Amino acid sequence: MQIVSNGSWKGTLGMGLAERELSCLLAVACGQTDKEIAQRDGLSPRAIKGRIESCMHKLGVYKRPALVAEAFKRGLISPMILTLCAIIVGHTALDENPLNRTRRPSERRIETRVAAHRIEAAQTV
């Protein structure tokens, strides 16, 4: 599976989209215009418009916001921040040791009270 990134978005090839179409889709998700994408790729704005229309046809939508939403819904594109959050959450889940977790002061008081009751109960038996 090939990953393409543009700005703060990343995408994976699939659903019949070509790499250049996905690149244009990511640029649209970043809010770039046809002219800006054309300058970046060294093509004409008309060629970029054709690629975007091809993406729209393949995903069955006919407006740019709907194109980005449909691609996001199908998992073709995602903001890089989601990837970063997933990495951070996964990393902390692997490193988390329940014995080393920091407790709030109220939790410590409750645990101390419970431990004291256990000691008192053990002494009375």
Side-chain angles (χ1 to χ4, degrees):
M1 178 176 7
Q2 188 174 1
I3 296 177
V4 178
S5 63
N6 183 357
S8 60
W9 288 81
K10 73 173 183 84
T12 54
L13 290 175
M15 296 288 189
L17 292 181
E19 184 177 351
R20 292 179 178 181
E21 291 171 340
L22 181 60
S23 176
C24 290
L25 173 59
L26 290 170
V28 169
C30 287
Q32 295 178 345
T33 63
D34 289 350
K35 286 182 182 180
E36 292 170 337
I37 301 167
Q39 287 175 349
R40 181 197 71 190
D41 292 349
L43 299 169
S44 71
R46 180 70 189 124
I48 299 301
K49 185 175 181 181
R51 288 181 182 172
I52 294 170
E53 287 175 353
S54 176
C55 288
M56 288 179 184
H57 177 72
K58 289 178 181 180
L59 296 179
V61 294
Y62 300 100
K63 296 194 183 241
R64 289 178 185 229
L67 174 66
V68 174
E70 185 67 22
F72 186 73
K73 185 169 69 173
R74 293 186 186 195
L76 294 174
I77 63 172
S78 64
M80 289 284 228
I81 191 70
L82 290 180
T83 305
L84 180 62
C85 288
I87 291 170
I88 290 171
V89 167
H91 181 65
T92 56
L94 292 175
D95 289 345
E96 189 172 312
N97 183 348
L99 299 175
N100 290 337
R101 92 176 172 89
T102 305
R103 294 190 244 344
R104 294 178 297 209
S106 61
E107 289 178 330
R108 280 189 234 130
R109 278 188 297 238
I110 292 169
E111 289 175 4
T112 304
R113 201 174 315 136
V114 169
H117 286 298
R118 285 183 184 157
I119 292 170
E120 289 174 7
Q123 290 174 350
T124 58
V125 174

